[in-house]
Amino acid sequence: MLSQTRKKNRSRRKPNPSSTTNSKEPDYYKKAHSSNGNDSAKSSTYGNQEEKQKEQQQQQQVESKSKDPPKRKPTKEEEVLTAKNWRLAKELSELKVKHREETKAVARLTMENMNLAARCREAIGHVTILKKE
């Protein structure tokens, strides 16, 4: 009974167009490499002249925005502030490194302290056992 319904379901399926061709190339490869003498990829990308013109205008706008304005000479106050900013950034970087190293040292000392505390508890427990004997 179950095998009969499976056979019916198989017969209802529509054949896959890519499976009916004898070529072993996938569909996406065929579409990308098929050409009828004209460049269909360009015509489908741009569609018409208006789209080409719009894209060129957008590209020109992007290029004009990317141009840097003429550089002006920084004022004396800006130079002082820039130097101070660099100095403070360097100091901050050094402090970060120092903090990282100190954090590692604190973690190491904490672990050592915990180990010593555990050993002390063991020793005290051993002493109490010896006292009882």
Side-chain angles (χ1 to χ4, degrees):
M1 180 74 177
L2 185 63
S3 63
Q4 291 175 350
T5 57
R6 285 185 183 165
K7 288 179 183 177
K8 288 180 184 178
N9 288 340
R10 286 183 186 157
S11 65
R12 289 183 193 162
R13 292 183 190 161
K14 292 180 182 178
N16 187 355
S18 64
S19 65
T20 57
T21 59
N22 292 333
S23 175
K24 298 207 182 231
E25 296 173 343
D27 286 338
Y28 64 86
Y29 183 81
K30 291 178 193 172
K31 289 177 185 175
H33 292 86
S34 67
S35 63
N36 299 331
N38 61 359
D39 196 1
S40 61
K42 284 187 180 177
S43 64
S44 66
T45 303
Y46 294 110
N48 58 22
Q49 289 292 88
E50 291 176 10
E51 290 181 10
K52 286 182 182 179
Q53 290 175 353
K54 286 180 183 178
E55 186 173 320
Q56 288 174 353
Q57 288 173 354
Q58 288 175 350
Q59 188 175 9
Q60 289 173 352
Q61 288 174 353
V62 168
E63 288 175 358
S64 66
K65 287 181 182 177
S66 66
K67 292 180 182 175
D68 292 332
K71 294 208 176 205
R72 63 176 182 79
K73 190 172 182 178
T75 64
K76 185 70 174 173
E77 184 182 2
E78 289 174 337
E79 289 177 356
V80 169
L81 290 173
T82 303
K84 184 177 181 179
N85 187 31
W86 280 100
R87 182 180 52 79
L88 291 173
K90 183 178 179 183
E91 186 179 346
L92 176 63
S93 176
E94 291 170 357
L95 288 173
K96 283 180 180 180
V97 170
K98 185 177 177 183
H99 179 262
R100 192 178 313 125
E101 291 170 356
E102 288 178 356
T103 303
K104 288 178 184 177
V106 167
R108 182 182 53 80
L109 291 172
T110 303
M111 290 299 293
E112 287 178 13
N113 190 17
M114 290 171 59
N115 287 337
L116 288 173
R119 288 173 54 189
C120 286
R121 281 192 300 272
E122 287 178 20
I124 291 170
H126 189 65
V127 166
T128 55
I129 291 172
L130 290 175
K131 281 183 180 179
K132 287 179 183 176
E133 290 178 359

